[in-house]
Amino acid sequence: MSKTINNNTAIGDDALEFLDSLLTPEEKAASALRVSIIGEMVKARQEKGISQKKLEELSGVKQPVIARMEKGSTSPQLNTILKVLAPLGKTLAVVPLETANK
């Protein structure tokens, strides 16, 4: 749905809708995967009652990096994610897409 303001037609109702329209389906899928992975990491950390500072000690990844990962303000490298997941008793797995989407 578009709005007309001062005779100019807006592309969408809000900024998120507009930004979403700029992404390809592949970019949307990659973003959703990042959000899912980081969400699981945060959940595992909280379930274990581990602070970001303690996770720094256990993983060797600096607390500010962990904080940025959790906020989604950075796109961490795979080895960084694996370092953080290990002390949480987690790892990543490669599975067929049809399995991952269920």
Side-chain angles (χ1 to χ4, degrees), residues 32-69:
L33 182 57
R34 276 191 303 277
V35 168
S36 178
I37 289 169
I38 298 303
E40 288 298 318
M41 184 185 79
V42 172
K43 180 180 166 187
R45 182 179 64 75
Q46 291 173 341
E47 285 175 351
K48 288 194 173 276
I50 297 173
S51 68
Q52 290 179 349
K53 190 64 179 169
K54 182 65 176 176
L55 189 53
E56 172 186 24
E57 295 170 20
L58 297 171
S59 68
V61 176
K62 298 290 185 186
Q63 182 275 328
V65 173
I66 294 169
R68 286 192 302 270
M69 287 171 57

Side-chain angles (χ1 to χ4, degrees), residues 34 68-69 72-77 81:
R34 276 191 303 277
R68 286 192 302 270
M69 287 171 57
S73 60
T74 187
S75 187
Q77 296 210 2
I81 294 170

Side-chain angles (χ1 to χ4, degrees), residues 9 15 22-23 26 29 36 49 60 62 66 68 71 78 80 84 100:
T9 302
L22 298 176
L23 299 176
E26 294 80 13
S36 178
K62 298 290 185 186
I66 294 169
R68 286 192 302 270
K71 285 198 300 192
L78 183 57
T80 304
V84 172

